[in-house]
Amino acid sequence: QQQVKQSPQSLIVQKGGISIINCAYENTAFDYFPWYQQFPGKGPALLIAIRPDVSEKKEGRFTISFNKSAKQFSLHIMDSQPGDSATYFCAASIESYGQNFVFGPGTRLSVLP
Amino acid sequence: SQTIHQWPATLVQPVGSPLSLECTVEGTSNPNLYWYRQAAGRGLQLLFYSVGIGQISSEVPQNLSASRPQDRQFILSSKKLLLSDSGFYLCAWSVTAGVVGAYNEQFFGPGTRLTVL
């Protein structure tokens, strides 16, 4: 029940296209859902996050869509750029317990020029 | 501002040798600290986390151990390395209690690339 599932495992998108990564969870106590971006050889860094009181959060070209009833959330990258090529991790936590995240297995995104 | 350091950046060790990886955090006090391992092309496996000096929680059984001798120092050790210990080791920190309405996050260090031969 602590698991966060993520798909696809890898994704190839043309420059200017939309990248979509999906995640699903089982534990209904989760109330904080961040996305992390990791470039090769670097540590992950927070990209964007959402709480279940909203269905969508947008920051620039990055949007999280959240479906509480389906226990699913997704990351959309609009106008994908080669510089977006990285591994993306979704995560979930119970905020009152602190920042002990359960991470998804990751999606390797490649944006072709 | 807060910074997190890890060293060494890369390490090549023979099977059966000991290991000591160090992580330190600056600019904050009483952080939660975490050790993760990332195999090549794989996800983040939480190994240990600590909520205070001397307090270590282990997430998976392995031949690794962790210690927190000081508030902002976290050490990952092994007495005898296995081939399967190869990977990218990441240390992270977070505040103990998040801020309501803000982005609450784990801040990751630059990582240590460990190759066991």
Side-chain angles (χ1 to χ4, degrees):
Chain A
Q1 201 178 25
Q2 282 292 97
Q3 193 178 18
V4 175
K5 297 178 180 178
Q6 183 172 349
S7 63
Q9 185 175 1
S10 63
L11 181 62
I12 300 175
V13 175
Q14 293 287 337
K15 178 182 176 181
I18 302 173
S19 304
I20 301 174
I21 304 170
N22 301 298
C23 286
Y25 63 98
E26 289 295 324
N27 189 348
T28 55
F30 286 146
D31 57 5
Y32 183 66
F33 303 90
W35 283 88
Y36 277 77
Q37 180 188 54
Q38 183 183 29
F39 294 105
K42 305 292 184 182
L46 179 67
L47 184 63
I48 188 173
I50 196 169
R51 292 180 175 86
D53 54 339
V54 296
S55 60
E56 187 175 280
K57 180 74 175 287
K58 183 176 181 180
E59 289 194 357
R61 296 183 295 107
F62 300 91
T63 299
I64 301 178
S65 297
F66 185 81
N67 186 329
K68 188 175 181 179
S69 60
K71 291 183 285 187
Q72 295 175 348
F73 58 110
S74 60
L75 176 69
H76 297 237
I77 305 175
M78 311 300 288
D79 187 26
S80 298
Q81 298 296 313
D84 297 329
S85 297
T87 299
Y88 292 81
F89 295 96
C90 61
S93 70
I94 303 170
E95 260 196 303
S96 59
Y97 288 4
Q99 282 64 251
N100 286 9
F101 298 135
V102 177
F103 284 93
T107 295
R108 178 173 290 184
L109 171 65
S110 297
V111 181
L112 304 178
Chain B
S1 63
Q2 301 88 6
T3 55
I4 179 169
H5 304 278
Q6 282 186 249
W7 64 90
T10 59
L11 190 59
V12 180
Q13 293 283 97
V15 169
S17 64
L19 173 73
S20 180
L21 303 181
E22 188 165 344
C23 171
T24 59
V25 180
E26 297 178 355
T28 188
S29 59
N30 194 32
N32 289 348
L33 295 172
Y34 309 84
W35 276 113
Y36 290 88
R37 176 170 59 202
Q38 188 175 27
R42 304 293 293 276
L44 300 166
Q45 181 187 28
L46 179 63
L47 301 175
F48 302 95
Y49 73 92
S50 171
V51 299
I53 296 175
Q55 300 179 64
I56 309 294
S57 295
S58 174
E59 291 295 304
V60 293
Q62 64 238 318
N63 69 321
L64 299 171
S65 62
S67 62
R68 183 170 178 174
Q70 300 181 43
D71 180 45
R72 290 169 291 175
Q73 184 184 30
F74 206 20
I75 297 172
L76 183 69
S77 304
S78 174
K79 293 182 179 178
K80 289 186 177 182
L81 283 169
L82 306 173
L83 286 174
S84 58
D85 291 325
S86 293
F88 191 48
Y89 287 81
L90 289 158
C91 180
W93 74 272
S94 72
V95 297
T96 304
V99 177
V100 175
Y103 275 175
N104 297 306
E105 61 181 292
Q106 287 185 16
F107 300 89
F108 286 83
T112 294
R113 175 77 58 194
L114 171 65
T115 303
V116 182
L117 302 175

